[in-house]
C-alpha cells in the first residue's frame, strides 16, 4: 500500500534531516551539516547510534498522528521511508499507542 502524500513528505523530511546535532540547536527542516556556514568539530555531535535513536523517536511521534488520521496508514512502510531500518516488527510496533481494537490512539489519549 502506498503512503499518503502527507506521510511521504514527513518521511522524506525525517530521512533527509541530519539529527547528529539535534540536542544542541534548532534547525530548519532539512538541515544538512555539510551546508552549515559555521562548521563545528565533529566530537560535539551525537554518535551515529544516538542520532539513529532520535530519528526513530521522531518517526514514532509522527507515525502516531498519521496512523490516527489515516485508517490505511502502514507504520512499517513509513518507518522504512523515514530511513528507520534494521528493526524488528515488534520494535516498530512498540512505539505506537493503540486501543484494544488495534486502532491508533490520538496523541494524549
Amino acid at each position: 500500500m502506498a503512503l499518503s502524500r502527507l506521510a511521504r513528505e514527513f518521511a522524506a523530511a525525517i530521512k533527509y534531516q541530519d539529527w547528529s546535532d539535534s540536542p544542541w540547536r534548532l534547525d530548519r527542516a532539512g538541515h544538512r551539516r555539510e551546508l552549515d556556514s559555521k562548521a563545528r568539530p565533529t566530537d560535539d555531535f551525537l554518535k551515529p547510534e544516538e542520532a539513529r535513536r532520535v530519528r526513530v523517536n521522531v518517526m514514532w511521534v509522527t507515525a502516531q498522528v498519521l496512523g490516527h488520521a489515516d485508517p490505511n496508514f502502514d507504520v512499517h512502510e513509513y518507518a522504512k521511508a523515514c530511513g528507520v531500518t534494521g528493526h524488528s516488527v515488534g520494535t516498530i510496533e512498540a512505539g505506537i499507542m493503540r486501543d484494544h481494537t488495534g486502532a491508533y490512539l490520538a496523541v494524549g489519549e
Side-chain angles (χ1 to χ4, degrees):
M1 167 163 292
L3 292 173
S4 69
R5 180 192 60 80
L6 187 58
R8 285 192 315 271
E9 289 180 11
F10 273 133
I14 291 165
K15 185 176 183 178
Y16 185 75
Q17 182 76 21
D18 179 352
W19 296 101
S20 64
D21 59 0
S22 60
W24 300 283
R25 64 182 274 174
L26 297 174
D27 291 326
R28 62 178 176 77
H31 164 69
R32 304 301 299 174
R33 186 175 2 140
E34 64 270 15
L35 302 177
D36 281 353
S37 59
K38 298 177 185 174
R40 291 190 349 201
T42 58
D43 60 343
D44 286 346
F45 295 100
L46 293 175
K47 294 176 180 78
E49 180 61 20
E50 293 167 331
R52 184 195 63 78
R53 287 186 197 123
V54 171
R55 181 189 308 265
V56 172
N57 278 299
V58 170
M59 180 278 299
W60 275 331
V61 168
T62 55
Q64 190 69 46
V65 174
L66 289 165
H68 183 258
D70 179 359
N72 298 314
F73 180 73
D74 182 332
V75 67
H76 302 285
E77 183 179 351
Y78 182 65
K80 183 177 177 182
C82 289
V84 174
T85 59
H87 296 281
S88 69
V89 169
T91 298
I92 298 299
E93 292 289 336
I96 301 299
M97 299 174 292
R98 298 178 188 257
D99 67 15
H100 69 283
T101 69
Y104 285 75
L105 293 172
V107 175
E109 283 187 352

